[in-house]
Amino acid sequence: MVNDGADEGAAWLGVDLGTQSVRVLLVTADGTVLGSGSAPLTGRRDGVRHEQDPLRWWAALCTASRAALGAAPPGRPVGGLAVCGTSGTVLLTDGSGRPAGPALMYDDGRAAREAARARAAGLAVQDTWALPKALRLLGEYGPGLRLAHQPDLIVTRLTGTPPPADSSHALKTGYDVEREAWPEAALARLGVPEDLLPEVVRPGTLLGEVVPAAADATGIPAGTPVLAGMTDGCAAQIASGALRPGSWNSVLGTTLVLKGAARDPVRDPAGVVYNHRAPDGTWLPGGASSVGAGALAAHFPDAEPAVMDERAGAFEPSSAVAYPLVSPGERFPFRAPEATSLLLGDPVDDADRWAALLQGVGFAERLCLDYLHHLGAPLDGPLTFTGGGARSPYWNQLRADILGRPARVPEQTEPALGMAALAAYGASGAGSLAGVAERMVRVRTVLEPRPARTAAFAEPYARLVDALRDRGWLPAPVAEHARARLHLDAGRS
């Protein structure tokens, strides 16, 4: 077996700061999960406003990490840890890393005016990205504070000092991942103080070690190396093993994120698709939609998903066609700040409405892949499903049917696994991240699309594409491209 560098005797901690919970996994180099833990998070939503209390992230981590380590067999050393967070979540802190106020979450939409200013200054940012929100916070709090991304706060508590940011989280704050530098001239035109922005390093870089006070709070052994992480979408991509060119991972959580691997950046003049840089310098293109499983919770807060999935099987396709946005505005596969959740037709009952929501996410997913094909992205590798939505066998098969292409589902679908793999790669200083991840990832199921079902979903998908075009949200050339590919599987070139 090829030695990919990870210490065979060690276990690796992955920390995922999600929207609704903090999740921690303790994993060996061969993918055996020794322990897991989670703790819930809550936030404040009001229209386009979405905030969380950053101090709750730390409290939740302490609970989740103690649960993960407490469930593990004794005697296994922890080789290192890495932390992922929600992409675009940002806050301001003082010089010691203490938060100045609440964090603006990844989908907080109050900074549209600041985003327009940033685009006028020559920066390709979206309205919900971190840079516009940082500009808004700067206007509210004034100078003298430091910008931090979600994991930066946790790493500060773990290591005792504010760390450099990783380039993955810094991307949505305007960091130029191709030049590996902040765009100083554009930021100066926006009035961004030089001391606001942190130093930036590549993912997998050693940031420090767990200090005794943090060890007492979390149960993580003092001296454990802390490695720079990546965004939750990239973490889920690592957890899927989709790191070879042409491979893609679809992360279905509260929202939908598609991440792929490519030798070169995927260029998108519209700025809908952006490119993270992998630790080895290759590229991870993708985008984040506001469609996702959060729509199920919003419409059916007390539902039993497995029961509703079974009932939804009677409605393929549903009487209605949905584009189930979790919050106003869309970012991928098109940029439309004015977009709202869409329902064409009238479901006959709750099961039919549930079916429409499940299918709507699948249609959005197909449109994302059609858009990536429109841009010339490589799509010829395997597709993997991860995220909380991948726990539903029914939904997984439904999505494969709608896409008309096979999909893999790993045993462990959590982004925290990706952070464990990144920690193992970064701490070893040898091998490849793809090799480390492939050793950790265990594929549970390979789903094959059912051609008759794929054909049945073609008409409602086309209807949705036309509706999105007619509302002015989806550009006409993209709609035409999606229609031209209607009878192909979503992976064909």
Side-chain angles (χ1 to χ4, degrees), residues 405-429:
R405 66 175 292 173
R408 310 180 308 169
V409 183
E411 287 183 6
Q412 182 57 249
T413 64
E414 297 291 347
L417 178 68
M419 289 298 92
L422 181 58
Y425 164 76
S428 71

Side-chain angles (χ1 to χ4, degrees), residues 438-449:
E438 286 166 359
R439 289 193 59 206
M440 278 196 184
V441 176
R442 300 177 175 183
V443 174
R444 182 184 72 221
T445 306
V446 177
L447 302 159
E448 294 292 339

